[in-house]
Amino acid sequence: MYNITLYGTLGCHLCEEAEAWLAHFYPQLSYMQIDIACDVRLVEQYGIRIPVLAVDSIELDWPFNLEQFQDVMHNHARILESSSSASQVQSSTRRVLKPIS
């Protein structure tokens, strides 16, 4: 599962372009839009960078393109698979220790 977020603000023409880009290339993509103007910390972090597209902790600054976005999604899927495989291996080798009576 991906947590995809588009950081921007109202009246930002580049943010509108990023939204249109997402709608065009990924019409079924579910993502959260966050208006950075509602949080001083977000304004400090993203103010001159918006729009920013974040996939979990990986951020793409505008103008992002198909290759960048697909690379991020592919790498993220690989990370999820490896962490899932590792937890399956760990859980399959886990032992329960019981106190000796």
Side-chain angles (χ1 to χ4, degrees), residues 11-33:
C12 167
H13 72 281
L14 295 177
C15 301
E16 292 169 3
E17 286 183 29
E19 288 176 47
W21 184 89
L22 285 169
H24 177 76
F25 290 109
Y26 296 95
Q28 303 300 322
L29 183 69
S30 176
Y31 62 94
M32 182 181 352
Q33 288 184 272

PDB file of all heavy atoms in Angstrom, residues 11-33:
ATOM      1  N   GLY A  11      -4.300  28.497  -5.550  1.00  0.00           N
ATOM      2  CA  GLY A  11      -3.777  29.584  -6.368  1.00  0.00           C
ATOM      3  C   GLY A  11      -2.399  29.327  -6.937  1.00  0.00           C
ATOM      4  O   GLY A  11      -1.825  30.199  -7.588  1.00  0.00           O
ATOM      5  N   CYS A  12      -1.863  28.153  -6.725  1.00  0.00           N
ATOM      6  CA  CYS A  12      -0.540  27.800  -7.243  1.00  0.00           C
ATOM      7  C   CYS A  12      -0.726  27.138  -8.609  1.00  0.00           C
ATOM      8  O   CYS A  12      -1.222  26.018  -8.687  1.00  0.00           O
ATOM      9  CB  CYS A  12       0.157  26.848  -6.261  1.00  0.00           C
ATOM     10  SG  CYS A  12       1.626  26.034  -6.904  1.00  0.00           S
ATOM     11  N   HIS A  13      -0.336  27.832  -9.681  1.00  0.00           N
ATOM     12  CA  HIS A  13      -0.558  27.282 -11.017  1.00  0.00           C
ATOM     13  C   HIS A  13       0.265  26.024 -11.273  1.00  0.00           C
ATOM     14  O   HIS A  13      -0.164  25.130 -11.994  1.00  0.00           O
ATOM     15  CB  HIS A  13      -0.295  28.342 -12.100  1.00  0.00           C
ATOM     16  CG  HIS A  13       1.142  28.679 -12.296  1.00  0.00           C
ATOM     17  ND1 HIS A  13       1.833  29.515 -11.452  1.00  0.00           N
ATOM     18  CD2 HIS A  13       2.016  28.256 -13.239  1.00  0.00           C
ATOM     19  CE1 HIS A  13       3.084  29.611 -11.870  1.00  0.00           C
ATOM     20  NE2 HIS A  13       3.219  28.852 -12.945  1.00  0.00           N
ATOM     21  N   LEU A  14       1.435  25.917 -10.654  1.00  0.00           N
ATOM     22  CA  LEU A  14       2.232  24.702 -10.814  1.00  0.00           C
ATOM     23  C   LEU A  14       1.565  23.520 -10.114  1.00  0.00           C
ATOM     24  O   LEU A  14       1.616  22.390 -10.596  1.00  0.00           O
ATOM     25  CB  LEU A  14       3.646  24.914 -10.270  1.00  0.00           C
ATOM     26  CG  LEU A  14       4.492  25.944 -11.010  1.00  0.00           C
ATOM     27  CD1 LEU A  14       5.844  26.114 -10.319  1.00  0.00           C
ATOM     28  CD2 LEU A  14       4.673  25.558 -12.467  1.00  0.00           C
ATOM     29  N   CYS A  15       0.915  23.801  -8.979  1.00  0.00           N
ATOM     30  CA  CYS A  15       0.180  22.747  -8.263  1.00  0.00           C
ATOM     31  C   CYS A  15      -0.976  22.245  -9.113  1.00  0.00           C
ATOM     32  O   CYS A  15      -1.245  21.037  -9.172  1.00  0.00           O
ATOM     33  CB  CYS A  15      -0.326  23.266  -6.918  1.00  0.00           C
ATOM     34  SG  CYS A  15       0.992  23.840  -5.823  1.00  0.00           S
ATOM     35  N   GLU A  16      -1.641  23.163  -9.786  1.00  0.00           N
ATOM     36  CA  GLU A  16      -2.731  22.786 -10.684  1.00  0.00           C
ATOM     37  C   GLU A  16      -2.208  21.942 -11.842  1.00  0.00           C
ATOM     38  O   GLU A  16      -2.857  20.981 -12.259  1.00  0.00           O
ATOM     39  CB  GLU A  16      -3.447  24.035 -11.200  1.00  0.00           C
ATOM     40  CG  GLU A  16      -4.206  24.777 -10.109  1.00  0.00           C
ATOM     41  CD  GLU A  16      -4.694  26.154 -10.536  1.00  0.00           C
ATOM     42  OE1 GLU A  16      -4.503  26.536 -11.714  1.00  0.00           O
ATOM     43  OE2 GLU A  16      -5.269  26.851  -9.682  1.00  0.00           O
ATOM     44  N   GLU A  17      -1.015  22.277 -12.351  1.00  0.00           N
ATOM     45  CA  GLU A  17      -0.401  21.478 -13.413  1.00  0.00           C
ATOM     46  C   GLU A  17      -0.081  20.071 -12.912  1.00  0.00           C
ATOM     47  O   GLU A  17      -0.283  19.088 -13.627  1.00  0.00           O
ATOM     48  CB  GLU A  17       0.874  22.149 -13.925  1.00  0.00           C
ATOM     49  CG  GLU A  17       0.633  23.359 -14.784  1.00  0.00           C
ATOM     50  CD  GLU A  17       1.930  23.946 -15.317  1.00  0.00           C
ATOM     51  OE1 GLU A  17       2.916  23.203 -15.508  1.00  0.00           O
ATOM     52  OE2 GLU A  17       1.958  25.171 -15.540  1.00  0.00           O
ATOM     53  N   ALA A  18       0.421  19.980 -11.688  1.00  0.00           N
ATOM     54  CA  ALA A  18       0.739  18.667 -11.117  1.00  0.00           C
ATOM     55  C   ALA A  18      -0.526  17.825 -10.944  1.00  0.00           C
ATOM     56  O   ALA A  18      -0.525  16.628 -11.229  1.00  0.00           O
ATOM     57  CB  ALA A  18       1.458  18.835  -9.773  1.00  0.00           C
ATOM     58  N   GLU A  19      -1.597  18.441 -10.486  1.00  0.00           N
ATOM     59  CA  GLU A  19      -2.879  17.736 -10.355  1.00  0.00           C
ATOM     60  C   GLU A  19      -3.349  17.240 -11.724  1.00  0.00           C
ATOM     61  O   GLU A  19      -3.814  16.099 -11.854  1.00  0.00           O
ATOM     62  CB  GLU A  19      -3.939  18.653  -9.763  1.00  0.00           C
ATOM     63  CG  GLU A  19      -3.754  18.960  -8.297  1.00  0.00           C
ATOM     64  CD  GLU A  19      -4.788  19.953  -7.800  1.00  0.00           C
ATOM     65  OE1 GLU A  19      -5.987  19.765  -8.103  1.00  0.00           O
ATOM     66  OE2 GLU A  19      -4.393  20.912  -7.119  1.00  0.00           O
ATOM     67  N   ALA A  20      -3.252  18.076 -12.733  1.00  0.00           N
ATOM     68  CA  ALA A  20      -3.667  17.698 -14.088  1.00  0.00           C
ATOM     69  C   ALA A  20      -2.787  16.570 -14.624  1.00  0.00           C
ATOM     70  O   ALA A  20      -3.278  15.644 -15.279  1.00  0.00           O
ATOM     71  CB  ALA A  20      -3.608  18.912 -15.011  1.00  0.00           C
ATOM     72  N   TRP A  21      -1.496  16.633 -14.318  1.00  0.00           N
ATOM     73  CA  TRP A  21      -0.559  15.583 -14.731  1.00  0.00           C
ATOM     74  C   TRP A  21      -0.967  14.252 -14.116  1.00  0.00           C
ATOM     75  O   TRP A  21      -1.036  13.232 -14.815  1.00  0.00           O
ATOM     76  CB  TRP A  21       0.857  15.974 -14.309  1.00  0.00           C
ATOM     77  CG  TRP A  21       1.935  15.038 -14.758  1.00  0.00           C
ATOM     78  CD1 TRP A  21       2.624  15.099 -15.928  1.00  0.00           C
ATOM     79  CD2 TRP A  21       2.443  13.905 -14.051  1.00  0.00           C
ATOM     80  NE1 TRP A  21       3.532  14.077 -15.989  1.00  0.00           N
ATOM     81  CE2 TRP A  21       3.443  13.332 -14.853  1.00  0.00           C
ATOM     82  CE3 TRP A  21       2.153  13.327 -12.818  1.00  0.00           C
ATOM     83  CZ2 TRP A  21       4.157  12.194 -14.460  1.00  0.00           C
ATOM     84  CZ3 TRP A  21       2.859  12.198 -12.429  1.00  0.00           C
ATOM     85  CH2 TRP A  21       3.847  11.640 -13.240  1.00  0.00           C
ATOM     86  N   LEU A  22      -1.233  14.255 -12.809  1.00  0.00           N
ATOM     87  CA  LEU A  22      -1.659  13.021 -12.131  1.00  0.00           C
ATOM     88  C   LEU A  22      -2.970  12.496 -12.712  1.00  0.00           C
ATOM     89  O   LEU A  22      -3.119  11.296 -12.950  1.00  0.00           O
ATOM     90  CB  LEU A  22      -1.807  13.261 -10.629  1.00  0.00           C
ATOM     91  CG  LEU A  22      -0.510  13.373  -9.843  1.00  0.00           C
ATOM     92  CD1 LEU A  22      -0.788  13.870  -8.426  1.00  0.00           C
ATOM     93  CD2 LEU A  22       0.222  12.039  -9.811  1.00  0.00           C
ATOM     94  N   ALA A  23      -3.922  13.380 -12.936  1.00  0.00           N
ATOM     95  CA  ALA A  23      -5.225  12.976 -13.475  1.00  0.00           C
ATOM     96  C   ALA A  23      -5.078  12.397 -14.885  1.00  0.00           C
ATOM     97  O   ALA A  23      -5.793  11.461 -15.256  1.00  0.00           O
ATOM     98  CB  ALA A  23      -6.180  14.163 -13.489  1.00  0.00           C
ATOM     99  N   HIS A  24      -4.149  12.939 -15.664  1.00  0.00           N
ATOM    100  CA  HIS A  24      -3.946  12.471 -17.030  1.00  0.00           C
ATOM    101  C   HIS A  24      -3.260  11.104 -17.075  1.00  0.00           C
ATOM    102  O   HIS A  24      -3.716  10.189 -17.751  1.00  0.00           O
ATOM    103  CB  HIS A  24      -3.125  13.491 -17.819  1.00  0.00           C
ATOM    104  CG  HIS A  24      -2.800  13.054 -19.205  1.00  0.00           C
ATOM    105  ND1 HIS A  24      -3.727  13.065 -20.226  1.00  0.00           N
ATOM    106  CD2 HIS A  24      -1.648  12.557 -19.744  1.00  0.00           C
ATOM    107  CE1 HIS A  24      -3.167  12.610 -21.333  1.00  0.00           C
ATOM    108  NE2 HIS A  24      -1.903  12.302 -21.067  1.00  0.00           N
ATOM    109  N   PHE A  25      -2.141  10.970 -16.361  1.00  0.00           N
ATOM    110  CA  PHE A  25      -1.348   9.750 -16.434  1.00  0.00           C
ATOM    111  C   PHE A  25      -1.798   8.659 -15.473  1.00  0.00           C
ATOM    112  O   PHE A  25      -1.563   7.481 -15.716  1.00  0.00           O
ATOM    113  CB  PHE A  25       0.139  10.060 -16.209  1.00  0.00           C
ATOM    114  CG  PHE A  25       0.756  10.810 -17.345  1.00  0.00           C
ATOM    115  CD1 PHE A  25       1.101  12.138 -17.203  1.00  0.00           C
ATOM    116  CD2 PHE A  25       0.973  10.200 -18.574  1.00  0.00           C
ATOM    117  CE1 PHE A  25       1.664  12.842 -18.256  1.00  0.00           C
ATOM    118  CE2 PHE A  25       1.534  10.891 -19.634  1.00  0.00           C
ATOM    119  CZ  PHE A  25       1.883  12.212 -19.471  1.00  0.00           C
ATOM    120  N   TYR A  26      -2.415   9.046 -14.370  1.00  0.00           N
ATOM    121  CA  TYR A  26      -2.854   8.085 -13.360  1.00  0.00           C
ATOM    122  C   TYR A  26      -4.261   8.426 -12.886  1.00  0.00           C
ATOM    123  O   TYR A  26      -4.465   8.798 -11.726  1.00  0.00           O
ATOM    124  CB  TYR A  26      -1.886   8.081 -12.168  1.00  0.00           C
ATOM    125  CG  TYR A  26      -0.499   7.620 -12.549  1.00  0.00           C
ATOM    126  CD1 TYR A  26       0.491   8.531 -12.881  1.00  0.00           C
ATOM    127  CD2 TYR A  26      -0.201   6.267 -12.600  1.00  0.00           C
ATOM    128  CE1 TYR A  26       1.757   8.107 -13.255  1.00  0.00           C
ATOM    129  CE2 TYR A  26       1.060   5.838 -12.965  1.00  0.00           C
ATOM    130  CZ  TYR A  26       2.034   6.759 -13.287  1.00  0.00           C
ATOM    131  OH  TYR A  26       3.290   6.335 -13.661  1.00  0.00           O
ATOM    132  N   PRO A  27      -5.249   8.295 -13.749  1.00  0.00           N
ATOM    133  CA  PRO A  27      -6.612   8.716 -13.389  1.00  0.00           C
ATOM    134  C   PRO A  27      -7.227   7.932 -12.232  1.00  0.00           C
ATOM    135  O   PRO A  27      -8.088   8.447 -11.538  1.00  0.00           O
ATOM    136  CB  PRO A  27      -7.405   8.505 -14.685  1.00  0.00           C
ATOM    137  CG  PRO A  27      -6.604   7.557 -15.492  1.00  0.00           C
ATOM    138  CD  PRO A  27      -5.174   7.772 -15.107  1.00  0.00           C
ATOM    139  N   GLN A  28      -6.775   6.722 -11.990  1.00  0.00           N
ATOM    140  CA  GLN A  28      -7.323   5.903 -10.903  1.00  0.00           C
ATOM    141  C   GLN A  28      -6.515   6.021  -9.608  1.00  0.00           C
ATOM    142  O   GLN A  28      -6.866   5.411  -8.607  1.00  0.00           O
ATOM    143  CB  GLN A  28      -7.375   4.425 -11.327  1.00  0.00           C
ATOM    144  CG  GLN A  28      -8.182   4.171 -12.579  1.00  0.00           C
ATOM    145  CD  GLN A  28      -9.632   4.597 -12.429  1.00  0.00           C
ATOM    146  OE1 GLN A  28     -10.227   4.419 -11.379  1.00  0.00           O
ATOM    147  NE2 GLN A  28     -10.187   5.192 -13.474  1.00  0.00           N
ATOM    148  N   LEU A  29      -5.456   6.799  -9.632  1.00  0.00           N
ATOM    149  CA  LEU A  29      -4.580   6.919  -8.469  1.00  0.00           C
ATOM    150  C   LEU A  29      -5.271   7.653  -7.333  1.00  0.00           C
ATOM    151  O   LEU A  29      -5.861   8.719  -7.526  1.00  0.00           O
ATOM    152  CB  LEU A  29      -3.299   7.670  -8.850  1.00  0.00           C
ATOM    153  CG  LEU A  29      -2.249   7.810  -7.750  1.00  0.00           C
ATOM    154  CD1 LEU A  29      -1.633   6.454  -7.442  1.00  0.00           C
ATOM    155  CD2 LEU A  29      -1.174   8.784  -8.181  1.00  0.00           C
ATOM    156  N   SER A  30      -5.202   7.078  -6.171  1.00  0.00           N
ATOM    157  CA  SER A  30      -5.754   7.713  -4.975  1.00  0.00           C
ATOM    158  C   SER A  30      -4.603   8.387  -4.218  1.00  0.00           C
ATOM    159  O   SER A  30      -3.593   7.742  -3.922  1.00  0.00           O
ATOM    160  CB  SER A  30      -6.414   6.650  -4.103  1.00  0.00           C
ATOM    161  OG  SER A  30      -6.876   7.214  -2.922  1.00  0.00           O
ATOM    162  N   TYR A  31      -4.758   9.663  -3.956  1.00  0.00           N
ATOM    163  CA  TYR A  31      -3.721  10.384  -3.220  1.00  0.00           C
ATOM    164  C   TYR A  31      -4.372  11.470  -2.370  1.00  0.00           C
ATOM    165  O   TYR A  31      -5.508  11.870  -2.599  1.00  0.00           O
ATOM    166  CB  TYR A  31      -2.677  10.995  -4.161  1.00  0.00           C
ATOM    167  CG  TYR A  31      -3.204  12.023  -5.127  1.00  0.00           C
ATOM    168  CD1 TYR A  31      -3.163  13.376  -4.822  1.00  0.00           C
ATOM    169  CD2 TYR A  31      -3.739  11.648  -6.355  1.00  0.00           C
ATOM    170  CE1 TYR A  31      -3.644  14.328  -5.706  1.00  0.00           C
ATOM    171  CE2 TYR A  31      -4.211  12.588  -7.252  1.00  0.00           C
ATOM    172  CZ  TYR A  31      -4.163  13.924  -6.919  1.00  0.00           C
ATOM    173  OH  TYR A  31      -4.632  14.864  -7.798  1.00  0.00           O
ATOM    174  N   MET A  32      -3.639  11.918  -1.379  1.00  0.00           N
ATOM    175  CA  MET A  32      -4.116  12.964  -0.483  1.00  0.00           C
ATOM    176  C   MET A  32      -3.492  14.287  -0.912  1.00  0.00           C
ATOM    177  O   MET A  32      -2.301  14.344  -1.233  1.00  0.00           O
ATOM    178  CB  MET A  32      -3.713  12.651   0.955  1.00  0.00           C
ATOM    179  CG  MET A  32      -4.219  13.661   1.945  1.00  0.00           C
ATOM    180  SD  MET A  32      -3.754  13.384   3.698  1.00  0.00           S
ATOM    181  CE  MET A  32      -2.981  11.802   3.744  1.00  0.00           C
ATOM    182  N   GLN A  33      -4.299  15.341  -0.921  1.00  0.00           N
ATOM    183  CA  GLN A  33      -3.790  16.676  -1.197  1.00  0.00           C
ATOM    184  C   GLN A  33      -3.707  17.435   0.128  1.00  0.00           C
ATOM    185  O   GLN A  33      -4.666  17.436   0.902  1.00  0.00           O
ATOM    186  CB  GLN A  33      -4.711  17.427  -2.142  1.00  0.00           C
ATOM    187  CG  GLN A  33      -4.645  16.914  -3.547  1.00  0.00           C
ATOM    188  CD  GLN A  33      -5.514  17.749  -4.468  1.00  0.00           C
ATOM    189  OE1 GLN A  33      -6.683  17.465  -4.609  1.00  0.00           O
ATOM    190  NE2 GLN A  33      -4.917  18.765  -5.062  1.00  0.00           N
TER     191      GLN A  33
END
